Amino acid sequence: MIVAATQFAPVAGDIDANVRTVAGLVRAAGAEGARVVVFPELCLSGYEPALIRDTPGLVLTEDDPRLAPVREACREVSAAAVVNGPVRTADGRPAVTSLVIGPDGSLLTRYDKQNLYGIELEVFAAGTADGRFTLDGVRFATATCYDNRFPELAERAAADGCAVYLASSVLSADNDSFEKVYPVRARDFGLYVVLGNVLGANEDGVGTGLAGAWGPDGGRIADAGPDTAGFVLAEVG
């Protein structure tokens, strides 16, 4: 199983532009054999909680027509995409949501970030259910940025038969997660951990890239570097 970890600088508040970038990365990674493509936190809107709070039009639905180019890209290359954005919940508020769009363009699962941080607590609804999906016999777990500070999510994933833990995040250069979180979750629970991260300025700071993956021993097996938009491939499962 080949998984692609992506990084790019989302355009703040421009769903259509970000969808075009996501669809292009799905096609490019799929053409190189990726079966799953993992994107950063709030990549569809940019990590802009205050802007999302003040701009109702940035909130998506699960079947939002603006995501049609991503669905089509998934179908074209037979790859799943883990895309994250502000998605409406049953009570009308948005969550920080990963939508897993399958190789046939259908929705495989939805995961709403459980552990919100800072201004997110004012803007978003917290999720209550773990995210899971299975593709080609490999079971995946999903988690989002601050979630990864809580080892019980990875522990539950391993107990539930997951081999791969997909982390959609927004991390700046001073974040210690690259040393103290992602490799530790991989090593402690015997998981492949795959990180999608942002580049560029956002409401949290400046994204540092370094998307990639860690193997079950905690060692880095893929690193996209700190500067260039795109993706890196990792063999997992």
Side-chain angles (χ1 to χ4, degrees):
M1 169 74 73
I2 303 297
V3 175
T6 70
Q7 58 187 38
F8 73 98
V11 180
D14 194 333
I15 299 287
D16 291 341
N18 296 324
V19 162
R20 287 193 296 271
T21 298
V22 167
L25 286 168
V26 169
R27 287 189 178 91
E32 294 193 22
R35 189 72 164 136
V36 178
V37 187
V38 183
F39 288 91
E41 181 181 26
L42 292 177
C43 67
L44 295 172
S45 59
Y47 186 84
E48 310 290 340
L51 181 63
I52 293 165
R53 178 195 61 204
D54 298 336
T55 314
L58 292 180
V59 179
L60 298 132
T61 60
E62 290 183 7
D63 59 352
D64 203 293
R66 289 174 288 182
L67 297 178
V70 180
R71 299 186 192 99
E72 180 58 29
C74 289
R75 287 191 290 265
E76 286 182 15
V77 296
S78 191
V82 182
V83 294
N84 193 282
V87 180
R88 187 168 290 113
T89 64
D91 73 0
R93 291 186 299 163
V96 180
T97 300
S98 285
L99 298 176
V100 182
I101 300 171
D104 64 355
S106 67
L107 185 65
L108 291 181
T109 196
R110 168 187 179 145
Y111 172 72
D112 295 343
K113 184 177 184 179
Q114 296 181 39
N115 299 282
L116 302 175
Y117 180 81
I119 190 176
E120 296 172 6
L121 293 161
E122 304 172 20
V123 179
F124 300 105
T128 58
D130 291 333
R132 304 280 188 267
F133 69 97
T134 300
L135 188 64
D136 298 344
V138 179
R139 190 157 173 79
F140 293 83
T142 55
T144 306
C145 207
Y146 191 52
D147 278 336
N148 301 300
R149 293 278 179 179
F150 299 83
E152 55 266 30
L153 271 75
E155 183 178 24
R156 290 198 300 267
D160 197 25
C162 296
V164 188
Y165 181 92
L166 306 176
S168 298
S169 299
V170 169
L171 302 173
S172 55
D174 61 352
N175 196 295
D176 64 1
S177 295
F178 297 100
E179 294 80 31
K180 296 184 178 180
V181 175
Y182 299 101
V184 175
R185 299 293 171 267
R187 183 178 64 248
D188 285 356
F189 301 108
L191 297 164
Y192 289 90
V193 173
V194 183
L195 167 70
N197 193 31
V198 297
L199 296 169
N202 56 74
E203 284 188 20
D204 187 58
V206 179
T208 194
L210 302 176
W214 291 261
D217 64 355
R220 264 275 197 177
I221 59 173
D223 187 340
D227 302 311
T228 304
F231 63 89
V232 66
L233 302 177
E235 185 171 351
V236 303

